[in-house]
């Protein structure tokens, strides 16, 4: 990961502050040289984002991992359930510790972690806040939600929250605008054991025919069907971009599962998804 990306910078800084060495390279994880460097340098861990782990599974990375590797970490977005389960299964079989984490740029990249020992019991959980941090869940009307399995906006409190945003040099004198509190914009809930789960994005919710539809949930549903896709909405239709050719059977299946009339769906085929 590039060092101008907060998760990449966080990995660098946490390793340096703990006295660890860091191996830098320009090779992609799909290149043989990447794995040779891991092996020759006796690398003990590496971190990745969801797309990297999807690629690793396709590469059957368990056959490439050097004996020195002790653990792997994931942040930078929500894993598909199938990918999460596959990584946990592979890690358990080869004795690798898999730490799934959650964070945002405004809180120095990482805010919570799921203990690898509980990864197979708390599938898809972002775990619990890191030491010194705290999560709250807030309803639409601003009230705190304390009961389990009820979603609301996730709020993080900690000293690692940024001071705020600067749009000009005069903003530098404003002081701590965030006051150690970050409104994440993510919808989340906690279970009875106080493990947290992300259920969607506050701004990624469409309202069509009076029905609220989570676009992240639409994408997750199709990806579980083996369809790579991306969904957006203008609150009139849901536009689903996919690599597969659209057919009436797919449209009917989506319509039925979402409880939406087919007229509210627009399927578009793309050759490739733009990624950056």
């Amino acid at each position: 990961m590039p060092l101008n990306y907060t998760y990449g910078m966080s990995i660098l800084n946490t390793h340096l502050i703990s006295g660890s060495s860091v191996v830098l390279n320009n090779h992609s994880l799909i290149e043989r040289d990447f794995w040779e460097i891991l092996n020759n340098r006796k690398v003990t861990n590496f971190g990745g984002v969801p797309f990297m782990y999807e690629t690793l599974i396709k590469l059957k990375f368990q056959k490439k991992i050097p004996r020195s590797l002790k653990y792997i970490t994931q942040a930078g977005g929500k894993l598909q359930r199938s990918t999460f389960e596959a990584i946990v299964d592979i890690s358990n079989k080869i004795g690798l510790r898999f730490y799934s984490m959650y964070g945002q740029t405004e809180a120095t990249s990482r805010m919570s972690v799921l203990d690898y020992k509980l990864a197979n019991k708390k599938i898809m959980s972002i775990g619990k806040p890191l030491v010194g941090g705290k999560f709250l869940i807030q309803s639409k009307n601003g009230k705190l939600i304390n009961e389990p399995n009820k979603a609301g906006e996730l709020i993080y409190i900690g000293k690692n929250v940024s001071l705020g945003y600067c749009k000009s040099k005069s903003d530098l004198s404003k002081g701590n605008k965030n006051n150690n509190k970050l409104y994440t914009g993510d919808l989340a809930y906690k279970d009875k054991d106080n493990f947290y789960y992300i259920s969607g994005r506050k701004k990624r919710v469409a309202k069509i025919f009076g029905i609220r539809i989570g676009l992240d949930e639409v994408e997750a549903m199709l990806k579980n069907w083996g369809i790579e896709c991306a969904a957006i909405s203008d609150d009139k239709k849901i536009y689903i971009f996919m690599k597969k050719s659209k057919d009436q059977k797919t449209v009917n299946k989506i319509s039925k599962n979402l409880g939406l009339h087919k007229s509210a769906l627009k399927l578009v085929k793309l050759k490739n998804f733009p990624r950056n």
Side-chain angles (χ1 to χ4, degrees):
M1 287 179 287
L3 298 182
N4 62 339
Y5 172 44
T6 52
Y7 181 29
M9 180 60 76
S10 175
I11 288 176
L12 175 66
N13 287 334
T14 50
H15 280 71
L16 293 181
I17 202 170
S18 65
S20 304
S21 299
V22 178
V23 178
L24 303 179
N25 87 100
N26 291 320
H27 299 291
S28 163
L29 53 83
I30 64 173
E31 296 179 62
R32 181 182 294 176
D33 288 342
F34 175 87
W35 298 99
E36 287 183 353
I37 289 173
L38 252 66
N39 189 57
N40 295 337
R41 294 287 182 173
K42 293 181 171 56
V43 171
T44 59
N45 74 86
F46 67 78
V49 296
F51 181 66
M52 291 170 65
Y53 278 101
E54 290 170 12
T55 304
L56 286 171
I57 290 173
K58 293 176 182 176
L59 289 174
K60 297 183 178 179
F61 77 101
Q62 62 269 34
K63 297 180 180 179
K64 304 175 184 289
I65 286 178
R67 291 183 179 180
S68 61
L69 204 68
K70 296 178 180 178
Y71 70 89
I72 54 178
T73 64
Q74 177 268 321
K78 187 177 180 180
L79 286 172
Q80 294 180 48
R81 186 181 183 91
S82 58
T83 303
F84 192 107
E85 290 175 339
I87 295 294
V88 171
D89 183 57
I90 291 168
S91 298
N92 288 338
K93 285 179 179 177
I94 62 177
L96 198 61
R97 286 174 283 169
F98 171 56
Y99 293 98
S100 178
M101 302 179 295
Y102 167 76
Q104 289 194 353
T105 302
E106 295 87 347
T108 327
S109 178
R110 293 181 270 185
M111 298 185 289
S112 71
V113 63
L114 177 63
D115 190 325
Y116 77 95
K117 295 177 182 178
L118 299 170
N120 60 342
K121 294 181 180 179
K122 301 291 184 180
I123 295 291
M124 299 301 290
S125 173
I126 61 170
K128 295 184 177 182
L130 298 175
V131 175
K134 181 181 179 181
F135 279 148
L136 301 173
I137 298 176
Q138 183 174 282
S139 67
K140 281 184 183 179
N141 56 15
K143 292 184 178 180
L144 294 181
I145 298 173
N146 293 312
E147 58 263 44
N149 303 314
K150 189 173 181 180
E153 183 177 8
L154 186 66
I155 299 170
Y156 176 78
I157 298 173
K159 291 183 178 180
N160 55 319
V161 174
S162 64
L163 305 183
Y165 279 102
C166 278
K167 294 183 179 179
S168 68
K169 64 180 182 180
S170 62
D171 289 340
L172 291 169
S173 63
K174 289 183 176 179
N176 191 350
K177 297 287 288 183
N178 285 334
N179 293 317
N180 300 330
K181 181 182 285 189
L182 176 63
Y183 291 83
T184 66
D186 284 328
L187 299 175
Y189 64 91
K190 62 180 179 180
D191 65 15
K192 60 182 178 61
D193 300 315
N194 289 321
F195 282 82
Y196 289 81
Y197 298 78
I198 301 298
S199 57
R201 185 76 181 153
K202 193 176 178 182
K203 293 181 180 179
R204 292 271 293 156
V205 176
K207 192 171 184 180
I208 301 174
F209 303 149
I211 301 172
R212 293 174 63 83
I213 304 290
L215 298 176
D216 291 331
E217 294 172 20
V218 173
E219 290 180 3
M221 179 179 74
L222 268 71
K223 285 175 182 177
N224 284 334
W225 299 346
I227 301 174
E228 188 176 358
C229 69
I232 61 173
S233 175
D234 58 4
D235 284 337
K236 295 177 182 177
K237 288 180 181 288
I238 292 179
Y239 299 87
I240 302 174
F241 299 87
M242 56 180 63
K243 287 186 177 180
K244 285 188 175 182
S245 296
K246 60 179 180 178
D247 55 42
Q248 196 57 45
K249 186 178 179 181
T250 303
V251 175
N252 292 342
K253 190 175 181 181
I254 298 171
S255 172
K256 182 179 179 181
N257 278 269
L258 295 182
L260 276 180
H261 191 269
K262 289 176 283 188
S263 63
L265 300 172
K266 177 71 174 178
L267 275 56
V268 183
K269 184 184 177 184
L270 289 182
K271 286 186 178 179
N272 289 297
F273 289 101
R275 298 186 185 274
N276 56 31

